[in-house]
Amino acid sequence: MLNQRQDYQARRTLVHFFLLQISWDVVLSQLQYIIPEESKHGTFVGRIAQDLGLDIGEINSRMLHIVSRDEKEYFQVNLQNGILFVKETIDREVLCPNTPFCIIPLQVIVDKPVQMYRVDVEIEDINDNRPIFSSSVTNLVLSEIRPAGSRFRIKGAEDPDLGTNSITNYELSASDYFALDFQKYLNQIRSLELVLKKPLDREKQSVHNLTLTAYDGGKPRLSGTTRIVVTVEDFNDNAPVFDQPFYQCSVNENAIKGTLVFKLNATDLDEGRNGEIQYEFSSLVSWEVSNIFSLNQYTGEIRVNGQLDFEAKHMYEIQVDAIDNGDLKLVGHCKVLVTVVDVNDNPPEMTVTSLSVPVPENSPQGTTVAIISVHDKDSGSNGKVHCYISEPSPFKVNPAFMSDFSLTVNGPLDRELKDQYEVIITAKDEGSPSLSTSKTLKIDISDANDNAPRFVQSTDTIFIKENNPPGSHIYTASASDPDIGQNSFITYSIRERTVDGIPISSYISINPENGKVFALVSFDHEQISYFQCHIKATDAGLQALSSNLTLNIFIEDINDNAPTFTPLHSEITIKASKSAEPGHLITKVKAIDLDSGYNAWTFYKLKDLGGPGKSPFTIARQTGEITLKRSFKDYDIDEYRLHVVAQDHGEPVMTSETQIIISVVESGEELKFDNHETKGNGDEFSDANVYLVVAICVISSIFLITLIVFTVLRWQKYRDEVNELKENYRICSNTGGSWMYSQHTQYNISSNSFRPKSDLIVFTPNNCQTPGNEEQVNPQAVVLNSSYKVRLINQKQHSDIFMKTLNVFEVGILNNNCLKNM
């Protein structure tokens, strides 16, 4: 027990000593760093260990760490280099709202011994927020009587940034009526007002749409916008106005009570109550007028309210006022002149005295269809009648006598488009208002043979597989005729022609009534692959009309022919040397298939009768070449009988077989290679060979023509070069005095003394070269060789012994410059 108490006292003393040591080691110091907000993770803040005077090598062992007042740890220290960096992105507006300075205090603590430091990190504001208006649309209602210079307070935008990053300016969109005014205090915009530049007029423009833009002073410059909608409130400053000050109208004398005479229309540019209009008779209107006519105060309709009599009075003058409903009532005036018209109360009477129907569709223009008589009981202009057709039609009404009219054909008739017309004939007098009577005539159109039978298409194509059964139905020709009766009855026929000298009627026939086409024979693609027939459709009209259909008939091939080996490539005996190497060509077989296309594509194979791997021969699948696939062995037999199979690609597959006997002989014996090339070309000459020969001839002709043209061009160039040589030769002989030769002197210039070669042969005239005798120069030959150097030797005119070496030159290409340099 005593020992435990002693241990407890010792531990207590040690704790007191340790706490005292901590209090001695605590050092109060302070650092301050500045970083911009929105800095990313890992952004450098400061060398905190170096700035606090700590040994970088000890900060890890002494467990340096940072304590922040906030729950979030925005910063962290790299214990390897003592650098303070950003751990989490900081938003100044969230961390320090509405404060000019934003400082994050940090406590830096190290152990062993314990030391504590104070570090302040100031977060510098950046322009990361744009100005924002509280509402995207601001509505203002202003009276149009507001004077110029009136001001209207509007709410500005807000920007959470500070200083120059906050709002520094406002701009208003262009307007003839409004301007923007704002006051600044301590570089801050405190008030924002809309100023009216000139009076408003709702009747000109009732709504003004303005755009207000707020700008901050940051970099980059940010902005925000709002829309200001100014609605102009109406004031009763416009009197009602009629669309015209004077109106004229008329009314029949027999108009019943309530008949509409005229409807007035006045407008007021004001709106609401100021634009509501009421109509009233003026105080100048007489008692008589107000009894005969009535006026609706809301609609402005003037109606008959009494008895009219043209003989008593034929004109009335009415004054009407339009009054608005504003506080200060305004009035508009107009005058209406009403004319009473004499009544035309008897309509015309119409009778059809003659009608000739039906009308043939080929009737010429002017053909009379009907005679119409018209009578009107009225007199004067009310009794004068005009007759016409009220709707467009191929008929026309023409005046005949005083009260008679004739209905005639006035345009082309087509029964196929329309076989009956309902012609509405109207008789109308000249009264005011005019009266009319209508009568409907039904006119039938009879048919004429004016349409030829028509096929859906003028050309058609069909495909028939060969070996078809005779009499099979292969096609149906169908034509239509819009005519009716016998004019539309169609018969079909095939126009006679020959196909390879055989009448087409031997191949096909047609049913004249229904147009069905039948094959009379079984077609063979190998004999005829295509022919054409013309089907004629004829109607039964008095003047028969017809049309033609061109039918292209293709005979489709089927695989009905097996490949056939040519006589040169079947049942032959071939000798092969025992010393032949693998790949040696033994012989070649060829089979011909009379089919076409895929059915004629033939390939070859060997029928291995002795089991797989026994035969030393192989055959090319496409070409039919039989080659040696391995060297002959001692145990190989002396004679092989190869069964070659030719197979096409048709459906079903067809094959043929031939036997090739190959005798293996010793080396030195004469080998016999029996194939198409060695036996002769006259036994079989296929179409492919003909095409090959023609192609070779064409290519040879083109080559020969090219060669002739090239030779002519080279010869022309050669003549030009010789002429230049003559000219230069003449110049050189005149200037040097050493190129004078005898006409019969010939020099052979060789490249060396061992192999003499006539590289250059020049013939010269007897006389000196002058312009007069230049044409006598006749160079016979010039032979050039670019691989030799020649020496030109000149003999003087009066000495056959003395020779002088003139020059050594290169003659790789003989040209004008080379001769001029000699």
Side-chain angles (χ1 to χ4, degrees):
M1 187 69 181
L2 182 61
N3 292 333
Q4 291 180 354
R5 183 177 297 178
Q6 290 177 353
D7 292 337
Y8 174 77
Q9 291 179 354
R11 291 178 181 178
R12 186 176 179 182
T13 303
L14 182 61
V15 170
H16 289 167
F17 177 79
F18 180 73
L19 294 177
L20 181 61
Q21 184 68 29
I22 290 176
S23 63
W24 288 345
D25 291 339
V26 171
V27 178
L28 296 178
S29 63
Q30 185 172 351
L31 291 177
Q32 184 171 1
Y33 298 106
I34 300 177
I35 63 169
E37 64 172 326
E38 304 294 341
S39 297
K40 303 299 181 182
H41 175 77
T43 302
F44 174 81
V45 179
R47 303 181 183 275
I48 191 170
Q50 182 178 351
D51 295 339
L52 293 176
L54 300 177
D55 188 358
I56 297 177
E58 296 180 355
I59 61 175
N60 192 11
S61 60
R62 295 185 62 184
M63 301 177 62
L64 185 144
H65 60 281
I66 295 176
V67 178
S68 176
R69 294 179 182 177
D70 297 333
E71 295 180 358
K72 292 186 178 180
E73 295 182 2
Y74 294 105
F75 303 97
Q76 189 174 352
V77 177
N78 188 330
L79 298 180
Q80 302 297 327
N81 51 25
I83 292 177
L84 180 66
F85 62 90
V86 176
K87 180 181 180 183
E88 186 175 344
T89 303
I90 302 172
D91 188 349
R92 191 200 66 83
E93 286 73 30
V94 175
L95 185 63
C96 307
N98 302 322
T99 57
F101 297 99
C102 183
I103 297 178
I104 299 178
L106 303 177
Q107 289 182 348
V108 181
I109 301 175
V110 293
D111 298 334
K112 298 179 183 179
V114 176
Q115 291 180 320
M116 183 177 64
Y117 302 92
R118 170 72 179 271
V119 176
D120 291 338
V121 180
E122 181 179 349
I123 308 302
E124 189 178 21
D125 181 51
I126 64 173
N127 191 25
D128 58 342
N129 293 280
R130 65 178 60 252
I132 299 175
F133 287 91
S134 59
S135 175
S136 60
V137 179
T138 301
N139 293 302
L140 292 179
V141 179
L142 305 180
S143 175
E144 64 177 330
I145 61 173
R146 285 274 189 154
S150 300
R151 293 175 174 267
F152 311 97
R153 180 70 63 89
I154 57 177
K155 188 176 181 180
E158 295 180 356
D159 193 331
D161 294 326
L162 300 175
T164 58
N165 294 332
S166 63
I167 299 173
T168 58
N169 190 24
Y170 286 92
E171 290 184 3
L172 185 68
S173 59
S175 174
D176 295 334
Y177 291 90
F178 296 95
L180 186 66
D181 185 24
F182 53 86
Q183 302 295 328
K184 284 188 177 182
Y185 178 73
L186 297 178
N187 294 326
Q188 295 292 326
I189 298 177
R190 301 300 180 180
S191 62
L192 194 63
E193 293 179 331
L194 203 62
V195 182
L196 184 64
K197 295 194 291 185
K198 63 179 182 179
L200 299 171
D201 190 347
R202 191 204 61 82
E203 288 72 34
K204 291 183 178 180
Q205 187 173 355
S206 61
V207 178
H208 298 265
N209 289 298
L210 307 175
T211 300
L212 179 62
T213 305
Y215 296 95
D216 61 20
K219 293 183 179 180
R221 189 183 185 191
L222 302 178
S223 64
T225 60
T226 184
R227 193 161 59 94
I228 301 175
V229 179
V230 180
T231 303
V232 182
E233 192 176 28
D234 184 53
F235 178 76
N236 191 23
D237 55 348
N238 293 278
V241 177
F242 289 93
D243 49 7
Q244 61 186 52
F246 181 79
Y247 298 95
Q248 284 185 332
C249 62
S250 59
V251 61
N252 295 333
E253 62 175 335
N254 61 348
I256 63 175
K257 186 176 180 179
T259 301
L260 177 65
V261 178
F262 195 77
K263 182 177 180 179
L264 299 172
N265 183 28
T267 58
D268 194 323
L269 296 179
D270 296 324
E271 66 178 359
R273 293 180 53 195
N274 299 328
E276 295 176 359
I277 299 175
Q278 292 182 356
Y279 300 93
E280 295 179 1
F281 283 130
S282 173
S283 58
L284 301 178
V285 172
S286 63
W287 173 85
E288 179 184 9
V289 171
S290 61
N291 284 337
I292 295 177
F293 300 99
S294 65
L295 175 63
N296 190 309
Q297 63 176 348
Y298 300 107
T299 63
E301 294 178 348
I302 299 176
R303 296 182 179 273
V304 176
N305 194 36
Q307 184 66 39
L308 295 174
D309 188 358
F310 175 79
E311 288 70 26
K313 191 172 183 179
H314 60 275
M315 181 176 293
Y316 294 91
E317 182 177 322
I318 306 173
Q319 290 84 10
V320 179
D321 295 336
I323 306 171
D324 63 22
N325 198 24
D327 295 334
L328 181 61
K329 297 183 183 297
L330 300 179
V331 182
H333 309 280
C334 77
K335 181 184 294 186
V336 181
L337 290 181
V338 180
T339 303
V340 180
V341 180
D342 192 16
V343 176
N344 181 27
D345 53 355
N346 292 290
E349 298 177 357
M350 184 167 44
T351 305
V352 178
T353 59
S354 176
L355 181 61
S356 177
V357 290
V359 179
E361 63 176 330
N362 57 355
S363 298
Q365 186 172 350
T367 302
T368 301
V369 177
I371 301 297
I372 304 167
S373 297
V374 180
H375 177 68
D376 195 326
K377 296 179 180 180
D378 293 326
S379 60
S381 61
N382 294 333
K384 293 181 180 179
V385 180
H386 298 282
C387 201
Y388 61 92
I389 298 176
S390 58
E391 294 181 358
S393 69
F395 300 97
K396 182 181 180 182
V397 175
N398 299 311
F401 299 103
M402 293 184 60
S403 59
D404 294 332
F405 298 87
S406 63
L407 180 65
T408 60
V409 176
N410 191 42
L413 301 175
D414 191 347
R415 189 209 60 81
E416 289 72 34
L417 295 178
K418 193 171 184 179
D419 60 353
Q420 188 183 67
Y421 291 89
E422 289 189 356
V423 180
I424 302 176
I425 302 175
T426 302
K428 186 177 182 181
D429 61 22
E430 295 183 0
S432 179
S434 61
L435 299 178
S436 62
T437 302
S438 297
K439 193 174 188 65
T440 301
L441 299 181
K442 290 186 178 181
I443 302 175
D444 295 326
I445 308 300
S446 60
D447 184 52
N449 191 27
D450 55 348
N451 292 281
R454 289 178 293 186
F455 290 96
V456 176
Q457 52 189 5
S458 61
T459 303
D460 203 356
T461 302
I462 62 173
F463 296 87
I464 306 173
K465 291 187 179 295
E466 63 175 331
N467 300 334
N468 60 292
S472 58
H473 173 237
I474 60 174
Y475 184 75
T476 299
S478 179
S480 60
D481 194 325
D483 294 326
I484 59 174
Q486 68 176 13
N487 295 331
S488 64
F489 183 74
I490 300 174
T491 57
Y492 300 90
S493 61
I494 296 179
R495 194 172 67 183
E496 284 296 332
R497 61 185 300 266
T498 59
V499 179
D500 295 336
I502 301 175
I504 196 171
S505 58
S506 300
Y507 290 101
I508 59 175
S509 66
I510 190 170
N511 188 320
E513 295 181 359
N514 55 26
K516 290 186 177 181
V517 181
F518 300 92
L520 300 179
V521 298
S522 178
F523 293 106
D524 189 354
H525 175 80
E526 287 71 36
Q527 292 182 359
I528 180 172
S529 61
Y530 164 78
F531 66 93
Q532 189 181 76
C533 73
H534 299 280
I535 300 175
K536 183 177 181 181
T538 307
D539 60 23
L542 294 179
Q543 293 184 353
L545 301 177
S546 63
S547 62
N548 295 321
L549 168 67
T550 301
L551 185 62
N552 298 308
I553 302 176
F554 290 88
I555 309 302
E556 290 184 327
D557 181 54
I558 63 175
N559 194 26
D560 57 345
N561 293 281
T564 304
F565 287 93
T566 61
L568 295 178
H569 301 85
S570 62
E571 300 294 339
I572 60 175
T573 302
I574 303 298
K575 291 182 179 181
S577 175
K578 277 189 176 182
S579 62
E581 298 294 330
H584 175 70
L585 177 65
I586 303 300
T587 186
K588 181 179 180 179
V589 296
K590 182 178 180 181
I592 297 176
D593 195 324
L594 296 179
D595 293 324
S596 62
Y598 204 66
N599 296 328
W601 185 18
T602 305
F603 67 92
Y604 307 90
K605 63 182 178 179
L606 294 177
K607 182 186 291 184
D608 196 353
L609 300 178
K614 296 297 184 65
S615 175
F617 305 99
T618 184
I619 187 169
R621 182 180 177 89
Q622 303 296 336
T623 62
E625 294 180 350
I626 300 176
T627 57
L628 190 64
K629 67 179 180 180
R630 63 173 176 82
S631 301
F632 289 108
K633 307 296 181 181
D634 294 337
Y635 54 79
D636 288 332
I637 61 178
D638 295 334
E639 183 178 277
Y640 289 90
R641 293 180 180 272
L642 302 181
H643 294 269
V644 181
V645 178
Q647 178 178 321
D648 59 22
H649 286 74
E651 187 66 34
V653 174
M654 304 192 74
T655 62
S656 63
E657 184 176 337
T658 188
Q659 179 176 270
I660 306 296
I661 302 174
I662 302 177
S663 298
V664 182
V665 299
E666 296 294 336
S667 302
E669 294 188 20
E670 183 179 0
L671 300 178
K672 182 179 180 181
F673 187 68
D674 294 331
N675 56 16
H676 178 71
E677 289 74 19
T678 58
K679 285 186 177 182
N681 299 327
D683 296 338
E684 180 181 4
F685 203 74
S686 63
D687 292 341
N689 293 331
V690 172
Y691 297 148
L692 181 61
V693 169
V694 172
I696 292 174
C697 292
V698 171
I699 295 174
S700 300
S701 301
I702 295 174
F703 175 75
L704 182 60
I705 293 172
T706 305
L707 185 61
I708 292 173
V709 173
F710 178 75
T711 304
V712 171
L713 295 177
R714 293 296 299 170
W715 173 250
Q716 182 66 31
K717 184 177 180 182
Y718 164 75
R719 290 186 59 188
D720 296 340
E721 291 177 350
V722 170
N723 290 334
E724 292 178 0
L725 178 63
K726 287 164 52 182
E727 180 66 18
N728 289 300
Y729 169 73
R730 182 179 65 80
I731 296 174
C732 292
S733 62
N734 290 337
T735 57
S738 61
W739 282 81
M740 305 299 292
Y741 294 92
S742 173
Q743 184 175 2
H744 304 288
T745 302
Q746 175 179 341
Y747 295 94
N748 294 332
I749 304 171
S750 43
S751 61
N752 54 54
S753 60
F754 299 98
R755 297 176 61 186
K757 183 176 180 66
S758 297
D759 289 337
L760 179 61
I761 303 175
V762 181
F763 296 95
T764 62
N766 292 329
N767 300 328
C768 296
Q769 302 299 321
T770 63
N773 58 13
E774 185 177 357
E775 295 179 355
Q776 298 176 1
V777 179
N778 185 21
Q780 298 296 324
V782 179
V783 182
L784 303 177
N785 192 332
S786 62
S787 62
Y788 293 94
K789 293 183 177 180
V790 300
R791 186 182 301 276
L792 298 180
I793 304 175
N794 181 27
Q795 181 182 13
K796 293 184 179 180
Q797 184 176 3
H798 303 290
S799 178
D800 295 331
I801 301 173
F802 180 75
M803 300 182 64
K804 183 179 180 180
T805 302
L806 295 177
N807 196 1
V808 177
F809 59 94
E810 184 74 32
V811 290
I813 298 175
L814 185 59
N815 53 34
N816 204 14
N817 294 331
C818 180
L819 290 175
K820 288 183 179 181
N821 293 329
M822 292 174 55

PDB file of all heavy atoms in Angstrom, residues 35-46:
ATOM      1  N   ILE A  35      -4.317  34.549 -50.478  1.00  0.00           N
ATOM      2  CA  ILE A  35      -4.560  33.734 -51.684  1.00  0.00           C
ATOM      3  C   ILE A  35      -5.904  34.132 -52.259  1.00  0.00           C
ATOM      4  O   ILE A  35      -6.793  34.576 -51.545  1.00  0.00           O
ATOM      5  CB  ILE A  35      -4.554  32.213 -51.372  1.00  0.00           C
ATOM      6  CG1 ILE A  35      -5.692  31.869 -50.398  1.00  0.00           C
ATOM      7  CG2 ILE A  35      -3.213  31.762 -50.848  1.00  0.00           C
ATOM      8  CD1 ILE A  35      -5.919  30.376 -50.255  1.00  0.00           C
ATOM      9  N   PRO A  36      -6.083  33.990 -53.575  1.00  0.00           N
ATOM     10  CA  PRO A  36      -7.392  34.284 -54.177  1.00  0.00           C
ATOM     11  C   PRO A  36      -8.370  33.153 -53.917  1.00  0.00           C
ATOM     12  O   PRO A  36      -7.979  31.995 -53.755  1.00  0.00           O
ATOM     13  CB  PRO A  36      -7.078  34.407 -55.678  1.00  0.00           C
ATOM     14  CG  PRO A  36      -5.864  33.582 -55.885  1.00  0.00           C
ATOM     15  CD  PRO A  36      -5.061  33.698 -54.615  1.00  0.00           C
ATOM     16  N   GLU A  37      -9.624  33.521 -53.857  1.00  0.00           N
ATOM     17  CA  GLU A  37     -10.653  32.497 -53.678  1.00  0.00           C
ATOM     18  C   GLU A  37     -10.721  31.594 -54.924  1.00  0.00           C
ATOM     19  O   GLU A  37     -10.164  31.908 -55.968  1.00  0.00           O
ATOM     20  CB  GLU A  37     -12.004  33.137 -53.426  1.00  0.00           C
ATOM     21  CG  GLU A  37     -12.541  33.958 -54.586  1.00  0.00           C
ATOM     22  CD  GLU A  37     -13.968  34.413 -54.365  1.00  0.00           C
ATOM     23  OE1 GLU A  37     -14.729  33.668 -53.738  1.00  0.00           O
ATOM     24  OE2 GLU A  37     -14.318  35.525 -54.823  1.00  0.00           O
ATOM     25  N   GLU A  38     -11.419  30.484 -54.753  1.00  0.00           N
ATOM     26  CA  GLU A  38     -11.594  29.490 -55.801  1.00  0.00           C
ATOM     27  C   GLU A  38     -10.284  28.839 -56.217  1.00  0.00           C
ATOM     28  O   GLU A  38     -10.178  28.295 -57.316  1.00  0.00           O
ATOM     29  CB  GLU A  38     -12.279  30.098 -57.048  1.00  0.00           C
ATOM     30  CG  GLU A  38     -13.608  30.765 -56.796  1.00  0.00           C
ATOM     31  CD  GLU A  38     -14.680  29.785 -56.364  1.00  0.00           C
ATOM     32  OE1 GLU A  38     -14.504  28.591 -56.592  1.00  0.00           O
ATOM     33  OE2 GLU A  38     -15.679  30.231 -55.776  1.00  0.00           O
ATOM     34  N   SER A  39      -9.241  28.950 -55.342  1.00  0.00           N
ATOM     35  CA  SER A  39      -7.982  28.278 -55.658  1.00  0.00           C
ATOM     36  C   SER A  39      -8.183  26.776 -55.603  1.00  0.00           C
ATOM     37  O   SER A  39      -8.856  26.245 -54.719  1.00  0.00           O
ATOM     38  CB  SER A  39      -6.894  28.699 -54.656  1.00  0.00           C
ATOM     39  OG  SER A  39      -6.644  30.089 -54.761  1.00  0.00           O
ATOM     40  N   LYS A  40      -7.572  26.080 -56.537  1.00  0.00           N
ATOM     41  CA  LYS A  40      -7.777  24.643 -56.655  1.00  0.00           C
ATOM     42  C   LYS A  40      -6.948  23.897 -55.615  1.00  0.00           C
ATOM     43  O   LYS A  40      -6.049  24.443 -54.979  1.00  0.00           O
ATOM     44  CB  LYS A  40      -7.414  24.163 -58.067  1.00  0.00           C
ATOM     45  CG  LYS A  40      -8.187  24.856 -59.171  1.00  0.00           C
ATOM     46  CD  LYS A  40      -9.666  24.608 -59.025  1.00  0.00           C
ATOM     47  CE  LYS A  40     -10.444  25.301 -60.157  1.00  0.00           C
ATOM     48  NZ  LYS A  40     -11.882  25.116 -60.032  1.00  0.00           N
ATOM     49  N   HIS A  41      -7.268  22.634 -55.459  1.00  0.00           N
ATOM     50  CA  HIS A  41      -6.535  21.767 -54.538  1.00  0.00           C
ATOM     51  C   HIS A  41      -5.066  21.704 -54.949  1.00  0.00           C
ATOM     52  O   HIS A  41      -4.730  21.499 -56.104  1.00  0.00           O
ATOM     53  CB  HIS A  41      -7.140  20.363 -54.561  1.00  0.00           C
ATOM     54  CG  HIS A  41      -6.360  19.359 -53.732  1.00  0.00           C
ATOM     55  ND1 HIS A  41      -6.453  19.321 -52.357  1.00  0.00           N
ATOM     56  CD2 HIS A  41      -5.491  18.402 -54.109  1.00  0.00           C
ATOM     57  CE1 HIS A  41      -5.660  18.347 -51.917  1.00  0.00           C
ATOM     58  NE2 HIS A  41      -5.069  17.776 -52.973  1.00  0.00           N
ATOM     59  N   GLY A  42      -4.176  21.888 -53.962  1.00  0.00           N
ATOM     60  CA  GLY A  42      -2.746  21.847 -54.213  1.00  0.00           C
ATOM     61  C   GLY A  42      -2.126  23.204 -54.482  1.00  0.00           C
ATOM     62  O   GLY A  42      -0.911  23.290 -54.697  1.00  0.00           O
ATOM     63  N   THR A  43      -2.947  24.298 -54.460  1.00  0.00           N
ATOM     64  CA  THR A  43      -2.390  25.628 -54.702  1.00  0.00           C
ATOM     65  C   THR A  43      -1.427  26.013 -53.574  1.00  0.00           C
ATOM     66  O   THR A  43      -1.725  25.861 -52.384  1.00  0.00           O
ATOM     67  CB  THR A  43      -3.521  26.662 -54.813  1.00  0.00           C
ATOM     68  OG1 THR A  43      -4.401  26.263 -55.872  1.00  0.00           O
ATOM     69  CG2 THR A  43      -2.975  28.044 -55.099  1.00  0.00           C
ATOM     70  N   PHE A  44      -0.287  26.529 -53.925  1.00  0.00           N
ATOM     71  CA  PHE A  44       0.740  26.933 -52.959  1.00  0.00           C
ATOM     72  C   PHE A  44       0.262  28.143 -52.159  1.00  0.00           C
ATOM     73  O   PHE A  44      -0.222  29.123 -52.729  1.00  0.00           O
ATOM     74  CB  PHE A  44       2.031  27.266 -53.724  1.00  0.00           C
ATOM     75  CG  PHE A  44       3.117  27.839 -52.837  1.00  0.00           C
ATOM     76  CD1 PHE A  44       3.925  27.011 -52.070  1.00  0.00           C
ATOM     77  CD2 PHE A  44       3.325  29.208 -52.783  1.00  0.00           C
ATOM     78  CE1 PHE A  44       4.918  27.545 -51.267  1.00  0.00           C
ATOM     79  CE2 PHE A  44       4.310  29.741 -51.984  1.00  0.00           C
ATOM     80  CZ  PHE A  44       5.119  28.896 -51.211  1.00  0.00           C
ATOM     81  N   VAL A  45       0.409  28.062 -50.796  1.00  0.00           N
ATOM     82  CA  VAL A  45       0.041  29.176 -49.923  1.00  0.00           C
ATOM     83  C   VAL A  45       1.293  29.848 -49.356  1.00  0.00           C
ATOM     84  O   VAL A  45       1.457  31.065 -49.421  1.00  0.00           O
ATOM     85  CB  VAL A  45      -0.880  28.700 -48.788  1.00  0.00           C
ATOM     86  CG1 VAL A  45      -1.236  29.858 -47.863  1.00  0.00           C
ATOM     87  CG2 VAL A  45      -2.151  28.079 -49.367  1.00  0.00           C
ATOM     88  N   GLY A  46       2.210  29.081 -48.776  1.00  0.00           N
ATOM     89  CA  GLY A  46       3.439  29.636 -48.217  1.00  0.00           C
ATOM     90  C   GLY A  46       4.321  28.542 -47.642  1.00  0.00           C
ATOM     91  O   GLY A  46       3.878  27.417 -47.376  1.00  0.00           O
TER      92      GLY A  46
END
